[in-house]
């Protein structure tokens, strides 16, 4: 199993990767779940993963796979409890703007959320997103465009929620 | 909404998450990793081997409609298991096969292979050199032209995600097991067996019953795939078994074994064999079960009464490998009533970790009365950290994929005496080869996946060339070259 340099890597990247997963899964605890699972997997294969050009990208990709595979939804309450001693109330309250954005993101397909996060949060170019997700660049662009359009509709041009317009 | 505004607002969500957490103690992470490791070795590898002994499933177009009848399975009879002899004779013997038993009608080219539970191809079976089936995330598909084209044979009204195992005896006769649920939850599991005698045109079904997990909750969908494996295995059109294993949220495996003598119309519950679901039958009365591991931790078991009782079979390493332990992971494959091949690794602990010194088969030519080792020594660089995919093409042709990324194919054409080595062309393309099957010395299938056991090998995404989606490959030149064969759709 992994040693000291893994732990340094883990401590340096954990919170950032959880943050990147929150817009994808829509929940801090679920984001922690998939990121922890990805780091657990990385610890098993650290001798190999550490040699990659970007180990963080590998962990993020694994976490995204878990998020998209529905792993977290299949987890039993046992694993929720195992989420390592951080009660729900420990998460600080989010601003109204964050809450609105999370709600809007949740209405998008997971595949669109994934691309939006890699583009807007991780700030990868579309070519790199395509390489990491093994998607044609055209597919990445179309998912980005659809995601943008959907978010604009859901949040309204001025950033407010759409609910009134559909009332 | 402008791009900058969108970037700011999604970024605010990420920033909120980042500030809300701090890394838990790595010790807890390692505990989680160990559980994952244990699960992969105890379940994933079991799964990969299990379908090698069993099969896959489907639904119905006839009788019954969509609902399974609620039939409670009676408690299992008492299991009788006689352990392996503690001393291992140099020539390994087992109780002779009952001579009065009726020979099976035929054997498929190879038993089913289980793929990555999160892959595109979940399982596949090479039934003849030209035909076989593959269970994907979207359908149960059949090929009759060497995996070049496929037709759907998924039973009507059964969501493909409910299939838990399948087996075809020949291109027309097959069975499949389906669950009543898409994902297993709760402490009761309802299964039904579907059977076809016309290549999947019509499926009939019967209830296997409701399995009681004794208060544990089935953990279906964990790791994204099989929470319940239900593996059919038939020796002729009437005599067959279904071995069931469920995972649970307490990591307790629950095993069940059922037998039919009427082609699957009715089922009787038998005692759970010691190595369920890794069970294979070579005749109507003789079967084999493998408990994974080396001496003291695992071994080969035999039944001569159709699964009512089991007796341990001693297996000794050859003299040249004295001091190694015998590691088994799947039951033997029988190419005929007499010719069986039991994959084995000869392992020695070196520096606190197991080193695979040689791999090969215990081979029988007398229906399992005696087993002789046939093996090839492995260079350290060829040692795999997970499964070593091995297959027998016929009585004389044995194959194994070795080396990081299954980059080499070792072939013996004299029954395991001499071995040649060639490159497979698989290196760097797939994280692992989980299953290997050959119908003749040239024609083979392989199922890939993300993991093949305790450690992954081969490649890891996001390497651009690395495909970790779990696919089906075929070869027509004895494993020298492989091409994609995954059914579309």
């Amino acid at each position: 199993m992994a040693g000291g340099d893994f732990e340094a890597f883990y401590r340096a990247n954990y919170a950032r990767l959880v943050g990147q997963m929150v817009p994808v899964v829509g929940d801090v605890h679920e984001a922690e779940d998939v990121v922890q699972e990805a780091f657990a997997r990385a610890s098993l294969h650290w001798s190999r993963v550490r040699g990659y050009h970007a180990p963080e990208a590998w962990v993020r990709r694994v976490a995204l796979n878990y998020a998209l595979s529905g792993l977290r939804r299949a987890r039993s309450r046992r694993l929720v409890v195992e989420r390592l001693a951080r009660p729900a109330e420990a998460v600080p309250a989010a601003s109204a703007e964050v809450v609105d954005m999370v709600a809007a993101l949740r209405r998008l397909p997971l595949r669109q959320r994934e691309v939006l996060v890699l583009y807007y949060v991780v700030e990868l170019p579309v070519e790199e997103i395509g390489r990491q997700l093994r998607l044609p660049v055209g597919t990445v662009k179309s998912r980005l465009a659809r995601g943008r359009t959907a978010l604009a509709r859901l949040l309204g041009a001025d950033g407010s929620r759409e609910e009134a317009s559909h009332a | 909404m402008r791009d900058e505004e969108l970037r700011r607002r999604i970024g605010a969500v990420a920033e909120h998450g980042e500030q809300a957490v701090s890394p838990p103690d790595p010790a807890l992470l390692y505990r989680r990793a160990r559980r994952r490791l244990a699960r992969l070795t105890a379940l994933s590898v079991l799964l990969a081997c299990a379908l090698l002994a069993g099969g896959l499933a489907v639904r119905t177009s006839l009788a019954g409609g969509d609902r399974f009848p609620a039939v409670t399975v009676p408690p299992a009879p008492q299991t009788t298991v006689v352990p392996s002899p503690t001393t291992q004779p140099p020539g390994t013997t087992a109780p002779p096969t009952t001579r009065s038993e009726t020979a099976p009608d035929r054997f498929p080219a190879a038993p089913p292979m289980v793929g990555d539970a999160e892959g595109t191809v979940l399982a596949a079976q090479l039934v003849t050199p030209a035909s076989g089936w593959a269970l994907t995330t979207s359908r149960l598909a059949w090929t009759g032209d060497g995996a070049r084209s496929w037709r759907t044979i998924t039973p009507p009204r059964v969501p493909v995600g409910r299939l838990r195992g399948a087996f075809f005896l020949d291109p027309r006769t097959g069975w499949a097991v389906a669950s009543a649920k898409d994902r297993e939850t709760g402490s009761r599991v309802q299964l039904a067996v579907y059977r076809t005698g016309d290549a999947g045109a019509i499926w009939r079904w019967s209830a296997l019953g409701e399995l009681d997990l004794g208060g544990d909750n089935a953990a279906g969908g964990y790791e994204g795939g099989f929470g319940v494996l239900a593996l059919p295995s038939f020796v002729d059109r009437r005599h067959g078994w279904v071995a069931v294993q469920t995972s649970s949220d307490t990591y307790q495996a629950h095993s069940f074994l059922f037998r039919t003598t009427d082609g699957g119309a009715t089922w009787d519950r038998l005692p759970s064999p010691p190595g369920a679901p890794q069970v294979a039958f070579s005749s109507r009365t003789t079967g084999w079960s493998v408990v994974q591991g080396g001496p003291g931790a695992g071994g080969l078991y035999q039944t001569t009464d159709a699964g009512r009782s089991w007796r341990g079979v001693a297996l000794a390493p050859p003299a040249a490998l004295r001091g190694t332990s015998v590691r088994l992971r799947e039951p033997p494959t029988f190419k005929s009533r007499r010719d069986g091949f039991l994959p084995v690794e000869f392992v020695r602990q070196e520096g606190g970790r197991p080193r695979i010194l040689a791999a090969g088969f215990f081979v029988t030519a007398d229906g399992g009365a005696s087993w002789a080792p046939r093996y090839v020594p492995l260079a350290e660089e060829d040692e795999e950290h997970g499964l070593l995919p091995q297959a027998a093409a016929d009585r004389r042709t044995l194959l194994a994929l070795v080396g990081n990324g299954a980059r080499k194919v070792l072939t013996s054409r004299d029954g395991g005496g001499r071995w040649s080595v060639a490159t497979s062309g698989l290196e760097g393309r797939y994280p692992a080869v989980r299953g290997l099957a050959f119908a003749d010395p040239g024609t083979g299938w392989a199922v890939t996946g993300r993991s093949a056991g305790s450690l992954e090998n081969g490649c890891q995404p996001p390497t651009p060339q690395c495909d970790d989606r779990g696919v089906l490959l075929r070869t027509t030149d004895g494993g020298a070259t492989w091409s994609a064969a995954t059914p579309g759709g």
Side-chain angles (χ1 to χ4, degrees):
Chain A
M1 199 156 293
D5 62 340
F6 168 77
E7 293 184 11
F9 166 77
Y10 161 68
R11 293 184 195 283
N13 291 283
Y14 178 83
R16 182 167 60 254
L17 285 169
V18 170
Q20 292 169 2
M21 289 302 113
V22 171
V24 178
V25 300
D27 178 275
V28 172
H29 289 311
E30 290 194 2
E32 281 198 277
D33 198 20
V34 296
V35 169
Q36 284 173 16
E37 191 72 14
F39 271 112
R41 189 169 164 190
S43 73
L44 291 174
H45 313 298
W46 182 239
S47 62
R48 189 185 307 275
V49 173
R50 66 188 300 188
Y52 292 158
H53 174 66
E56 182 186 350
W58 186 91
V59 175
R60 181 168 54 240
R61 169 69 192 277
V62 172
L64 284 169
N65 282 347
Y66 282 134
L68 267 63
S69 73
L71 168 73
R72 68 188 196 285
R73 290 190 296 275
R75 287 191 176 275
S76 66
R77 185 171 292 276
R78 174 187 57 75
L79 284 175
V80 175
V81 171
E82 192 194 56
R83 206 179 292 123
L84 313 182
R86 186 171 295 104
E89 56 270 26
V91 175
S95 68
E97 186 179 66
V98 166
V99 170
D100 285 349
M101 180 53 104
V102 168
L105 284 165
R106 276 182 165 158
R107 296 180 64 175
L108 267 54
L110 272 167
R111 298 285 183 193
Q112 286 181 21
R113 291 183 234 170
E114 172 186 59
V115 172
L116 286 168
V117 165
L118 291 177
Y119 186 77
Y120 286 114
V121 179
V122 186
E123 300 188 335
L124 297 177
V126 291
E127 293 79 11
E128 178 62 16
I129 295 173
R131 195 184 72 80
Q132 290 197 9
L133 300 181
R134 289 200 302 267
L135 293 173
V137 170
T139 303
V140 174
K141 289 180 176 176
S142 67
R143 287 183 184 176
L144 263 180
R146 288 176 187 154
R148 283 190 197 109
T149 303
L151 283 178
R153 178 175 55 81
L154 290 166
L155 295 168
D158 61 354
S160 61
R161 280 184 283 190
E162 69 156 353
E163 54 200 19
S165 64
H166 289 284
Chain B
M1 184 180 294
R2 290 179 305 139
D3 235 29
E4 292 73 18
E5 175 67 3
L6 207 50
R7 188 183 307 276
R8 185 190 68 77
R9 294 196 61 177
I10 299 178
V13 175
E15 188 177 344
H16 167 73
E18 184 174 346
Q19 292 176 350
V21 301
S22 58
D25 186 338
L28 298 172
L29 199 72
Y30 295 151
R31 188 177 69 186
R32 191 166 182 159
R34 283 194 295 272
R35 287 186 176 177
R36 175 183 173 80
L37 194 62
R39 197 166 56 248
L40 284 172
T41 50
L43 183 61
S44 283
V45 180
L46 269 175
L47 307 188
C49 303
L51 259 175
L52 286 164
L56 265 210
V58 203
R59 5 164 174 167
T60 181
S61 63
L62 282 185
D66 293 335
R67 295 189 56 195
F68 298 150
V71 179
T72 300
V73 176
Q78 187 73 29
T79 307
T80 303
V81 178
V82 180
S84 302
T86 52
T87 55
Q88 297 176 332
T92 299
T93 59
T97 302
T98 307
R99 295 190 183 282
S100 61
E101 69 184 40
T102 305
D105 294 334
R106 62 180 69 84
F107 287 83
M113 302 174 281
V114 174
D116 188 334
E118 296 182 32
T120 303
V121 174
L122 305 174
Q125 184 191 5
L126 185 54
V127 179
T128 71
S131 66
W133 55 262
L135 176 65
T136 73
T137 51
S138 60
R139 59 175 173 152
L140 181 63
W142 180 267
T143 181
D145 60 4
R148 290 170 180 79
S149 65
W150 299 85
R151 65 181 175 85
T152 300
I153 59 169
T154 314
R157 299 194 302 277
V158 177
V160 70
R162 295 185 180 185
L163 298 182
R164 300 291 183 257
F167 178 89
F168 269 73
L169 187 66
D170 58 46
R172 298 188 61 81
T173 314
W175 295 262
V177 184
S179 170
K181 300 174 185 172
D182 293 338
R183 284 181 179 274
E184 304 300 344
T185 55
S187 63
R188 292 179 183 276
V189 175
Q190 282 190 322
L191 298 174
V193 180
Y194 294 82
R195 59 191 190 277
T196 181
D198 54 11
I202 295 175
W203 293 91
R204 302 170 184 270
W205 66 269
S206 61
L208 200 57
E210 185 178 76
L211 314 182
D212 187 350
L213 306 189
D216 283 349
N217 289 313
Y222 193 67
E223 291 294 341
F226 306 106
V228 171
L229 269 182
L231 308 176
S233 174
F234 278 73
V235 295
D236 58 36
R237 292 183 180 179
R238 291 189 296 127
H239 295 84
W241 295 259
V242 171
V244 180
Q245 182 168 7
T246 74
S247 55
S248 76
D249 57 359
T250 61
Y251 293 109
Q252 297 297 313
H254 298 266
S255 299
F256 306 85
L257 183 65
F258 300 87
R259 178 181 180 232
T260 181
T261 58
D262 57 13
T266 60
W267 295 88
D268 295 319
R269 185 174 175 189
L270 298 174
S272 296
Q278 299 190 86
V279 181
F281 284 83
S282 53
S283 77
R284 295 177 186 176
T285 55
T286 303
W288 308 88
S289 181
V290 159
V291 177
Q292 291 192 334
L300 177 67
Y301 291 80
Q302 182 191 29
T303 178
T304 55
D305 56 10
R308 293 182 186 86
S309 63
W310 297 84
R311 176 183 301 274
V313 178
L315 297 170
L321 293 171
R322 199 176 304 280
T324 62
S325 59
V326 171
R327 190 161 80 182
L328 307 176
R329 60 174 187 275
E330 64 193 61
T333 294
F334 278 80
K335 293 286 186 176
S336 72
R337 182 187 174 194
R338 304 185 68 82
D339 296 305
F341 304 86
L342 174 65
V344 61
E345 294 162 2
F346 297 101
V347 180
R348 187 165 64 202
Q349 291 293 325
E350 289 185 358
R353 62 181 285 268
R355 162 91 201 282
I356 304 173
L357 295 185
F361 299 84
F362 278 102
V363 176
T364 181
D366 54 15
S370 63
W371 295 89
R374 299 284 185 267
Y375 63 94
V376 55
L378 293 182
E380 191 161 7
E381 64 175 14
D382 291 339
E383 179 189 351
E384 281 286 0
H385 296 292
L387 290 176
L388 280 174
Q390 294 157 269
D394 57 28
R395 289 182 64 179
R396 302 188 62 78
T397 310
L398 310 177
L399 301 103
L401 293 173
V402 303
N404 189 34
R407 69 175 185 272
K408 297 180 185 175
V409 55
L410 303 179
T411 306
S412 173
R413 301 191 186 283
D414 63 357
R418 292 188 303 172
W419 295 76
S420 61
V421 59
T423 57
S424 69
L426 294 172
E427 184 177 13
R429 293 169 59 188
Y430 310 97
V433 174
R434 297 179 61 101
L436 183 67
F438 275 80
D440 59 40
T443 310
W445 284 9
V447 173
T448 74
R450 299 191 315 176
S451 169
S454 56
L455 289 176
E456 294 181 6
N457 43 59
C459 60
Q460 292 282 356
T463 307
Q465 298 80 10
C466 183
D467 187 344
D468 68 340
R469 292 170 297 182
V471 301
L472 179 67
L473 305 173
R474 66 181 167 88
T475 180
T476 56
D477 56 12
T481 59
W482 295 85
S483 56
T486 303

